[in-house]
Amino acid sequence: MTTELSTREWHARAAALRYATGHFIDGAHVDSLAKGRFTAVNPATLQPLCEVSAGGAADIDRAVASGRRAFASGVWRRMAPRDRLGVLSRFAGLIQANAERFALLDTLTMGKPIRDMLSIDVPSAVQTFSYFAELSDKIDGAVTATAADAFHYILREPLGVVGCIVPWNYPLLMAAWKVAPALAAGNSVVLKPAEQSPLSALLMAELFVEAGGPPGVFNVVNGLGETVGAALALHNDVNKIAFTGSTEVGKLMLVYAGQSNMKRVALECGGKSPQIFLADLEDLDRAVNYAINGIFGNMGEVCNAGSRLLIDKPIAEAFIARFVELGKTAYRAGDPLDPTTNLGPLVTAGHRARVVSYIERGKRDGARVEFGGDTPALPGSYVNPTLFSRVNNQMTIAREEIFGPVAAAIEVSGITEALQVANDSIYGLAASVWTRDLRTAHTAVRDLEAGVIWVNCFDHGDMTQPFGGYKQSGQGRDKCLESLLSYTQTKSAWIHLG
Ligand code: NAD
């Protein structure tokens, strides 16, 4: 339906779009108690989009109290699991039915091409809610083997109130990865969206109630990270913080937990993912296309972006030449409401300045710009796709997460050096290896220090795949059954039979 709209029609729909700009607490849209505001800016135009309520600690108190009341009442956690499944399934259906509104809200605030919203973010969020909905009535306990004088069973219970703090790069989807398992397990949720993308979370919470979710179970508080995010993570009545964002802020979550009530902390943080292309790979063009999409897709604003291309020396020249040929024109900056655009602006002018400063640093450090390295003549915060060759792994552009469409090609000699360079990073979110040799592939899987490894592909997966990092990329897992269980705790009941 909607993908067939023209750019003009998308603009008309964007102009006609009505949306909430406050918080969602206890089943209702509300303003901040202190009436604070911040401005959401459209990165494609750098013009203000709307004023949004900037919450404070008092708004977090209100939302956490609402979540706690709902939890204590048992209205959600003690609902028959099959009924909870029904609510979450209807919720997934309502997200699908509102695909166009979600697509517009995230595109207008963070600049993602509307076609990516409709083909990736919205369907993936629907799938996430459907998957966890289906698991709602499959959370089992256990009876263990004991001596004859005892009966021992283990219950699995929800944690209580879960605080979810999410980034702006996939606003709807990153929220879904946290909120869906937390709700399916019977918890209450307080979601804090990124200040750059504050709108889609409000629609999400509203639709949960429309689907039959009890008021107070799913709350949203908007505002700045240092105020609202910190207040949530420091709250003594929050049982878990599920965080996705930068490594720097992720570390603060651990501090906040220690400074407050020792709440559980799950962290999905940054990355500098290596893609290893060995000389025996089967199909150079296929590998190059994956390399291009792996770093330029979503403007490079992807935690697992394949930002380091580790290329075996015998094929390095051919690989880079083909990357230049295909990659130079694969992504073109344009209006994100144009359904043919595949490269939107970066999220803010400030983030563009940061990405540009990394590009300048790469040039100064002696890497060679094969293409890009500049910004297009458009009014928004755009950066052109950029390939650096002659990079070594000690350069800043090979070590730090740029979070933009900037690839660093590093030449290596064979699998041993490739693995050593791949693992020489503080990050360990994802990695890939391209080879025809089975033994090499399995050796790479064994030795790569990353939570997700792809062989002869990149960024493939489904809901069964645990997603999360080794090292400073984090210590939680999203998607998958393991994620659901991380929103529960066990209770052991030991019954003396005498
Ligand atoms: P960020 O760390 O700046 O912000 C993330 C969230 O934390 C936002 O909601 C923000 O408001 C909040 N926040 C900021 N400071 C805070 C504080 N002092 N206390 C509490 N909350 C605070 O990250 P970002 O720029 O929004 O997102 C980009 C980062 O997210 C990248 O590093 C990227 O790799 C990472 N990311 C990781 C994954 C993953 O699954 N591993 C997925 C997407 C993004």
Side-chain angles (χ1 to χ4, degrees):
M1 42 148 197
T2 42
T3 38
E4 280 135 39
L5 297 180
S6 67
T7 309
R8 203 164 50 81
E9 285 164 328
W10 275 115
H11 275 278
R13 294 202 180 193
L17 188 67
R18 296 288 164 263
Y19 47 85
T21 56
H23 315 301
F24 192 83
I25 299 176
D26 221 1
H29 290 287
V30 296
D31 198 359
S32 301
L33 293 169
K35 309 285 176 217
R37 294 275 181 283
F38 67 95
T39 305
V41 173
N42 180 346
T45 59
L46 294 178
Q47 297 302 309
L49 179 71
C50 62
E51 295 289 299
V52 180
S53 299
D59 300 294
I60 287 292
D61 283 344
R62 203 157 49 133
V64 173
S66 155
R68 179 58 59 189
R69 271 196 308 278
F71 190 74
S73 76
V75 63
W76 181 242
R77 71 172 153 141
R78 301 230 162 96
M79 184 184 276
R82 201 72 204 160
D83 294 342
R84 224 165 46 219
L85 184 157
V87 172
L88 290 174
S89 299
R90 279 196 297 281
F91 184 27
L94 285 172
I95 294 175
Q96 177 63 55
N98 284 274
E100 181 181 311
R101 288 166 81 195
F102 279 114
L104 282 168
L105 291 174
D106 284 353
T107 292
L108 289 172
T109 50
M110 55 70 67
K112 190 189 299 264
I114 195 91
R115 73 176 213 179
D116 289 358
M117 279 304 305
L118 291 167
S119 63
I120 300 169
D121 295 50
V122 176
S124 305
V126 172
Q127 199 178 48
T128 302
F129 277 104
S130 302
Y131 174 82
F132 286 109
E134 288 154 13
L135 287 175
S136 304
D137 64 348
K138 295 166 193 73
I139 303 171
D140 290 333
V143 175
T144 69
T146 45
D149 68 346
F151 178 66
H152 178 219
Y153 65 98
I154 301 169
L155 295 171
R156 211 167 251 290
E157 301 190 329
L159 300 171
V161 179
V162 175
C164 305
I165 300 182
V166 297
W168 44 261
N169 61 337
Y170 290 84
L172 174 65
L173 184 58
M174 292 301 101
W177 280 9
K178 310 291 185 203
V179 172
L183 291 177
N187 297 284
S188 297
V189 164
V190 178
L191 168 64
K192 201 232 68 76
E195 47 270 46
Q196 298 85 349
S197 53
L199 305 180
S200 53
L202 295 167
L203 177 57
M204 205 197 260
E206 183 186 312
L207 294 178
F208 173 71
V209 173
E210 196 179 318
V217 170
F218 181 6
N219 306 280
V220 175
V221 180
N222 270 310
L224 305 185
E226 312 83 83
T227 52
V228 170
L232 184 59
L234 280 163
H235 206 288
N236 280 314
D237 206 21
V238 169
N239 302 91
K240 171 171 176 165
I241 283 290
F243 172 84
T244 298
S246 61
T247 290
E248 191 188 349
V249 178
K251 288 180 181 177
L252 286 178
M253 299 298 140
L254 297 166
V255 174
Y256 294 151
Q259 286 173 340
S260 53
N261 60 344
M262 212 196 274
K263 57 178 68 65
R264 288 161 194 239
V265 177
L267 302 173
E268 297 287 356
C269 298
K272 195 73 194 173
S273 299
Q275 290 216 63
I276 300 173
F277 300 97
L278 294 172
D280 70 342
L281 61 76
E282 188 167 353
D283 180 341
L284 186 75
D285 272 11
R286 182 165 179 274
V288 167
N289 274 313
Y290 270 83
I292 290 166
N293 294 327
I295 182 61
F296 297 154
N298 207 49
M299 293 74 75
E301 294 169 328
V302 182
C303 50
N304 61 271
S307 49
R308 288 187 297 152
L309 311 176
L310 312 189
I311 313 168
D312 215 356
K313 283 204 167 105
I315 58 164
E317 201 180 321
F319 188 101
I320 290 169
R322 199 68 180 130
F323 192 114
V324 171
E325 207 178 327
L326 300 173
K328 225 170 161 169
T329 51
Y331 284 80
R332 272 184 196 287
D335 178 356
L337 288 176
D338 175 343
T340 66
T341 292
N342 62 2
L343 191 87
L346 297 184
V347 66
T348 59
H351 186 52
R352 174 180 57 185
R354 188 164 172 269
V355 171
V356 167
S357 80
Y358 274 117
I359 292 173
E360 295 311 316
R361 179 69 193 261
K363 292 175 185 167
R364 275 205 311 281
D365 286 349
R368 181 157 100 183
V369 177
E370 294 284 346
F371 62 81
D374 56 358
T375 57
L378 289 168
S381 47
Y382 293 85
V383 170
N384 280 323
T386 299
L387 172 65
F388 277 109
S389 62
R390 300 188 187 173
V391 178
N392 72 58
N393 204 47
Q394 301 315 310
M395 290 181 186
T396 301
I397 57 167
R399 302 203 79 74
E400 296 184 13
E401 185 183 41
I402 297 175
F403 225 55
V406 182
I410 301 170
E411 294 186 24
V412 292
S413 293
I415 184 66
T416 305
E417 190 188 356
L419 291 173
Q420 183 268 319
V421 173
N423 290 336
D424 178 18
S425 170
I426 63 163
Y427 297 111
L429 184 52
S432 82
V433 60
W434 294 73
T435 177
R436 256 191 298 208
D437 187 276
L438 194 62
R439 197 162 41 173
T440 306
H442 283 296
T443 304
V445 171
R446 186 191 66 194
D447 292 346
L448 280 166
E449 297 163 356
V452 184
I453 315 284
W454 288 291
V455 177
N456 295 331
C457 66
F458 193 78
D459 221 0
H460 283 196
D462 64 17
M463 286 306 300
T464 66
Q465 176 187 45
F467 190 88
Y470 276 29
K471 302 196 277 189
Q472 293 187 39
S473 288
Q475 31 85 324
R477 293 294 179 268
D478 283 325
K479 311 201 287 183
C480 77
L481 185 58
E482 182 184 340
S483 160
L484 178 74
L485 298 182
S486 75
Y487 292 90
T488 67
Q489 56 195 339
T490 55
K491 179 187 276 174
S492 147
W494 191 276
I495 300 170
H496 180 61
L497 298 179

